[in-house]
Amino acid sequence: MRLGGPAAYLAHVHNPEELAEGLAWAAVRSLPVIMIGGGSNIIWRDEGFSGLVLVNRIKGYSLEERGSEVYLTVGAGEDWDSVVERSVAAGACGIERLSLIPGTAGATPVQNVGAYGREIADVLVSVDAYDRLVGQFVRIPAGDCAFGYRRSRFNGADRGRFFITGLTLRLVREQPRPPFYPALDRYLAERGIARPTVQQVRDAVIAIRRAKLPDPERVANCGSFFRNPVIPAGQAAYLLARYPDMPHWAMPDGRVKLAAGWLIDRAGLRGVSDPETGMGTWPAQALVLVNERARSTADLLRFRQKVQDAVRERFGVDLEQEPELLP
Ligand SMILES: Cc1cc2nc3c(=O)[nH]c(=O)nc-3n(C[C@H](O)[C@H](O)[C@H](O)COP(=O)(O)OP(=O)(O)OC[C@H]3O[C@@H](n4cnc5c(N)ncnc54)[C@H](O)[C@@H]3O)c2cc1C
């Protein structure tokens, strides 16, 4: 979002030894430490951070074939989309729908990154990390990551405890099997592609995302600004009676997930520019808040409140922020 105050100290770490060194340096000075990847899902507070920011630059990429399965091990500091690009080029299927998501590989388990019906939890085998509570490097199996929709132990109960150094993913050497997700299926059907290759799925996802989302290099944004709200079935039935075209998905626990972007759009806030805060919403996707000329995180948070208030007033639904507000 290109907002927020400065950090007192910042260092890039390229291997686990440098990570341990950074932590020891901060411990001697009693400084708090935050690890980040690309910074694409963070809102920094205006006050800044009086500690040490460690930027993860730990590299590594290796594929191991075991029958029809392909085990992909990557360093946390690898650019995520280049990991997807390389694995797709190698013919491995599993993460092609997660194409063009900005940031690093190591951040993907933090909010259980997902798109077009695929989440990192679907393919993750294990996470390698430094456990700051016990002071050692550990391997965490995917089953111990407490994954949910945009959630994990890393942004939940154990927020800030683990500094992720690498991941292992299980991919397959198979052709992707549709159906995937309505927007993606529609795109492929319109082009007469019934059995797409892994590369064709990646290309389709990239084309759809480019048409819908702003490029963060050019327009300051964090992607989806709110999680899709999950509401009780009774409330969903009430809203559906009033808004029959409201997109909704039944969840395994009986609750119903709504599309936050649709709610914001119908609250009249798609493609708006707010003169008071300098913030706006993206014309092709109301869920993306963009910094047009805001001067501070306080401006952004005021605009966030306006969006939340408008949706609550119209639909009685609370929107929860997706990017992390740090520190
Ligand atoms: C245009 C755009 C589109 C997006 N689309 C999607 C999407 O489709 N689906 C989706 O899920 N997200 C999406 N995002 C959000 C974002 O890309 C992801 O959350 C991504 O994983 C963030 O990676 P990062 O390296 O930039 O993480 P950061 O922003 O640097 O960090 C995010 C959080 O993870 C923590 N963290 C980062 N790296 C580590 C590490 N190695 N160890 C421990 N903690 C760490 C940070 O402390 C912070 O709390 C989008 C963002 C943008 C700007």
Side-chain angles (χ1 to χ4, degrees), residues 7-31:
Y9 302 97
L10 182 143
H12 293 82
V13 295
H14 301 90
N15 51 54
E17 294 72 34
E18 285 183 7
L19 165 52
E21 200 183 317
L23 285 169
W25 184 90
V28 169
R29 291 158 182 82
S30 304
L31 291 171

Side-chain angles (χ1 to χ4, degrees), residues 34-44 54 56 76-78 80 97-116 129 150 154-155 159-160 162-166 209 213-216 219 221-224 288 322 324 326:
I34 293 176
M35 173 160 282
I36 69 166
S40 59
N41 212 33
I42 296 173
I43 314 284
W44 293 102
L54 291 178
N56 195 310
E78 288 284 344
W80 172 249
R97 281 182 266 166
L98 303 179
S99 291
L100 216 64
I101 295 180
T104 56
T108 58
V110 175
Q111 71 156 0
N112 185 17
V113 152
Y116 301 100
R150 296 295 180 276
F154 309 113
N155 69 0
R159 191 166 179 256
F162 296 101
F163 285 173
I164 297 169
T165 54
R209 292 184 71 100
L213 298 171
D215 175 0
V219 179
N221 81 95
C222 280
S224 304
V288 178
E322 184 186 292
E324 291 242 23
L326 291 177

Side-chain angles (χ1 to χ4, degrees), residues 206-286:
I206 289 175
I208 297 169
R209 292 184 71 100
R210 286 219 168 109
K212 216 175 68 177
L213 298 171
D215 175 0
E217 295 292 328
R218 300 195 356 252
V219 179
N221 81 95
C222 280
S224 304
F225 197 86
F226 299 103
R227 293 190 170 93
N228 285 327
V230 180
I231 63 171
Q235 188 186 5
Y238 170 80
L239 286 173
L240 278 165
R242 298 187 65 187
Y243 308 100
D245 61 334
M246 181 177 74
H248 60 285
W249 299 268
M251 301 291 281
D253 64 3
R255 294 182 301 158
V256 177
K257 186 159 84 178
L258 306 183
W262 186 90
L263 298 171
I264 298 168
D265 188 343
R266 287 302 179 94
L269 289 175
R270 175 156 64 90
V272 297
S273 292
D274 181 38
E276 195 206 329
T277 59
M279 293 290 302
T281 55
W282 191 243
Q285 173 49 278

